[in-house]
Amino acid sequence: MIDMNKVLDIAMEKDASDVHLIAGNKPILRISRELIQIEEMEVLTREDMNEVYDYLVMGNLDQDEIYRTTRKLDCSHEHKGIRLRVNISSSDDIPTATLRLIKNDLPSYESLGVPDIVRRMTYQPQGLILVTGKTNSGKSTTLNALINYINENQNKKILTLENPIEYKHTSKKSLIVQKEIGKGKDSLTFSDGVKNSLREDCDILVIGEIRDKVTMEAAIEMAESGHLVIGTLHTKSCAETIDRMINFYEVRDQASIKYLLSAVLKLVVSQRLLKDISGKLVLVPEVMVVDNIIGGIIRKEKISVSEIEDAIQSNLEKGSIGLINSLAKLFVDDRITLDQAKEQIEEKNIETLNRTIMQMKIKKDGKGNMMGNNLGGF
């Protein structure tokens, strides 16, 4: 018999980010990206996993129906004041569960290492801002840090659509309304929530995840109508984000959506997390500020990934940050190894990375020498 309270107590004590519960294995924690089993626990059986299911669903008939019908369920749970984002799926007709621990203390925007241009863009009166990245890249944390910053510094009405709600925000300088998406929740779908938000007099709409064309269309309509929309997408780069958004649409509709996107899209930040030399996770951002040049590339008949990457690299003075620049800076600052940096880019970009590192080292050494000369003058 599994003691779920004990599993969660151990996860909290060891500062785990996730808990994996799968039949035939002991409970496993993810700690600083490493998977570590809880040695003192027994191997989970089918009966254990059915108990885990009952523990997490807690007799909620709507959630039980969703799982029985679709064999998957996203929900939330709370343990000793800590919120958990829960995913239940099925393997060999046995429930499996993945639990993400959401810390109550939201890290400050500054401590995350998100470039300042992202914060400044939240003062835009309207438009679309996207935070993107693969699973476990810290998108939700960045998104909620941005919400918290706006809440503390701007007088706005912020409406969030989430599945499930992770961080619970309290209205400060802004007014915050958080809505959970799903059957039996505040709104059935993301697209329904976005459409209704037009009638709710919000200034800023936050969409936890843009998954489909309907939600994308609603988000663009919201941005066009004079609101700031902040959303997330599961893409690994700024260029891939543009490609994904366009490919939501049929070929015959892509020309018109390109013009709309070039007008409403203001910024895309794509992020990755790497374990640095000290073993801590460090953010690797790529930022694309959409100016006239990038807008022109988006409107072209054929989108070129390399052309977008080159435009980002040549637009640094406006706040854009290339992936290569981020990796080079982390290496020069002794945060990651050269091999780690090279693993994040294609072979054809290795020479550009080496050249960027050399330029940064020269600039850094030059500043150091200037400081040394100034100190010597005292």
Side-chain angles (χ1 to χ4, degrees):
M1 180 175 178
I2 182 171
D3 186 344
M4 275 300 296
N5 290 325
K6 183 178 179 181
V7 171
L8 296 176
D9 285 343
I10 293 171
M12 290 168 61
E13 177 189 331
K14 295 185 177 294
D15 197 27
S17 62
D18 300 87
V19 180
H20 297 269
L21 302 169
I22 302 167
N25 299 272
K26 293 185 176 185
I28 293 174
L29 307 179
R30 187 178 290 279
I31 303 172
S32 296
R33 287 295 178 94
E34 298 293 327
L35 294 173
I36 301 169
Q37 68 179 8
I38 305 177
E39 294 292 351
E40 61 264 41
M41 304 293 287
E42 298 294 326
V43 171
L44 297 166
T45 64
R46 175 189 286 266
E47 291 72 26
D48 289 329
M49 290 312 303
N50 286 328
E51 286 184 18
V52 169
Y53 177 86
D54 291 339
Y55 175 91
L56 295 170
V57 174
M58 296 186 298
N60 186 305
L61 296 180
D62 285 331
Q63 292 181 355
D64 184 62
E65 183 185 349
I66 291 170
Y67 177 76
R68 301 298 174 193
T69 304
T70 66
R71 312 307 289 172
K72 61 183 179 180
L73 173 67
D74 290 311
C75 59
S76 58
H77 186 76
E78 192 165 309
H79 177 74
K80 295 185 177 179
I82 297 292
R83 289 179 62 79
L84 306 170
R85 187 179 74 193
V86 177
N87 174 265
I88 304 174
S89 58
S90 179
S91 175
D92 196 22
D93 202 33
I94 303 171
T96 69
T98 305
L99 284 61
R100 167 68 54 85
L101 280 73
I102 310 298
K103 295 180 180 178
N104 288 329
D105 297 326
L106 186 65
S108 68
Y109 173 84
E110 293 80 10
S111 68
L112 291 174
V114 182
D116 194 54
I117 183 65
V118 183
R119 176 193 64 81
R120 298 202 308 270
M121 277 289 184
T122 65
Y123 287 92
Q124 291 275 335
Q126 68 182 86
L128 179 62
I129 295 174
L130 295 174
V131 179
T132 73
K134 297 189 293 184
T135 303
N136 293 330
S137 62
K139 296 189 299 296
S140 294
T141 304
T142 296
L143 193 66
N144 280 283
L146 279 174
I147 294 169
N148 189 53
Y149 174 83
I150 297 168
N151 188 22
E152 291 179 339
N153 294 278
Q154 299 184 41
N155 182 230
K156 304 287 186 180
K157 180 179 179 182
I158 306 168
L159 175 63
T160 77
L161 305 173
E162 305 169 67
N163 180 26
I165 292 173
E166 296 185 5
Y167 296 94
K168 283 282 192 179
H169 293 273
T170 302
S171 297
K172 298 173 184 175
K173 192 171 182 179
S174 287
L175 173 63
I176 293 188
V177 179
Q178 291 180 268
K179 296 190 176 187
E180 192 155 339
I181 304 300
K183 185 175 181 181
K185 302 297 182 181
D186 303 308
S187 182
L188 192 60
T189 65
F190 278 103
S191 57
D192 286 345
V194 176
K195 289 173 184 175
N196 196 65
S197 67
L198 285 164
R199 301 178 181 87
E200 295 187 54
D201 188 36
C202 68
D203 301 294
I204 299 175
L205 174 67
V206 180
I207 307 172
E209 187 179 348
I210 298 174
R211 300 177 178 175
D212 52 38
K213 175 187 174 184
V214 178
T215 308
M216 175 60 68
E217 284 180 329
I220 290 173
E221 181 183 353
M222 190 74 177
E224 271 192 304
S225 64
H227 302 80
L228 181 64
V229 179
I230 306 174
T232 72
L233 272 173
H234 285 283
T235 51
K236 67 180 181 180
S237 70
C238 293
E240 185 183 300
T241 299
I242 300 299
D243 193 54
R244 171 73 61 82
M245 293 165 74
I246 291 169
N247 283 319
F248 277 141
Y249 297 83
E250 299 291 336
V251 174
R252 65 177 181 272
D253 300 322
Q254 289 182 359
S256 59
I257 200 61
K258 286 177 182 179
Y259 275 91
L260 277 176
L261 278 178
S262 67
V264 303
L265 188 61
K266 302 300 179 185
L267 178 136
V268 178
V269 53
S270 176
Q271 57 184 54
R272 309 176 186 203
L273 288 175
L274 295 181
K275 191 179 288 187
D276 70 8
I277 292 170
S278 69
K280 295 179 180 178
L281 293 177
V282 61
L283 186 73
V284 185
E286 179 189 27
V287 178
M288 180 178 75
V289 177
V290 181
D291 62 356
N292 291 334
I293 294 173
I294 290 178
I297 295 172
I298 292 173
R299 290 191 297 271
K300 285 186 176 181
E301 184 176 345
K302 188 173 182 180
I303 296 289
S304 167
V305 170
S306 59
E307 196 172 358
I308 290 176
E309 290 173 346
D310 290 343
I312 291 171
Q313 198 69 26
S314 61
N315 199 22
L316 304 182
E317 72 280 357
K318 291 186 179 178
S320 291
I321 301 172
L323 175 62
I324 288 175
N325 285 65
S326 288
L327 292 167
K329 187 175 188 310
L330 288 169
F331 173 72
V332 171
D333 290 343
D334 296 321
R335 298 293 305 278
I336 62 173
T337 66
L338 186 58
D339 285 340
Q340 281 182 294
K342 289 179 178 179
E343 286 170 0
Q344 298 299 312
I345 58 176
E346 296 180 18
E347 185 71 29
K348 64 181 182 180
N349 293 322
I350 298 292
E351 185 179 339
T352 304
L353 173 66
N354 290 332
R355 186 167 61 249
T356 305
I357 287 172
M358 186 63 67
Q359 291 169 347
M360 285 188 178
K361 280 188 171 181
I362 291 171
K363 190 174 181 180
K364 186 175 182 180
D365 289 344
K367 286 184 178 179
N369 290 333
M370 287 173 65
M371 287 176 66
N373 291 336
N374 288 337
L375 288 170
F378 278 105

